[in-house]
Amino acid sequence: MCSSDLLKTADLTGTDKEIIIAVLEVPPGATIARHTHPGEEAVYVLEGAKLLMPDGKEIDRPAGQAGVNVRDVPHAGYKVVGDKALKILTVHIVDKGKPMTVPAP
């Protein structure tokens, strides 16, 4: 099962947005369901792992890799495979009062 540690939340000054900083750990065998966010998500890989993508392709997600997931675009849907957990730092800038993550079809 995935675990998420919420590190900090704060209002983004002068906007109707909030910043949410968290660390997500996904153990081997666990899946992150496809989802969207009501805002932007920046991701930094703290501890890398091998991922099985929805199309059946395996990819490496190495430590030090960074990326951005844009508003309302579905992503994830992968399974962590191998013997290492995936550990990522996430920074979300999302609409205040909305859920940080929304399941995607």
Side-chain angles (χ1 to χ4, degrees), residues 44-96:
Y44 181 78
V45 180
L46 299 169
E47 296 176 13
K50 186 175 290 291
L51 308 178
L52 178 62
M53 304 307 289
D55 64 2
K57 184 177 176 183
E58 284 191 6
I59 65 165
D60 288 318
R61 179 68 38 98
Q65 187 177 62
V68 174
N69 294 310
V70 297
R71 172 183 292 271
D72 299 327
V73 174
H75 57 278
Y78 55 78
K79 180 178 183 176
V80 175
V81 295
D83 59 354
K84 295 181 182 177
L86 175 66
K87 189 172 187 178
I88 57 176
L89 173 70
T90 64
V91 178
H92 295 84
I93 299 175
V94 295
D95 299 335
K96 190 172 181 169

Side-chain angles (χ1 to χ4, degrees), residues 10-19 93:
D11 291 342
L12 186 59
T13 306
T15 72
D16 61 349
K17 310 278 186 269
E18 63 182 336
I19 301 170
I93 299 175

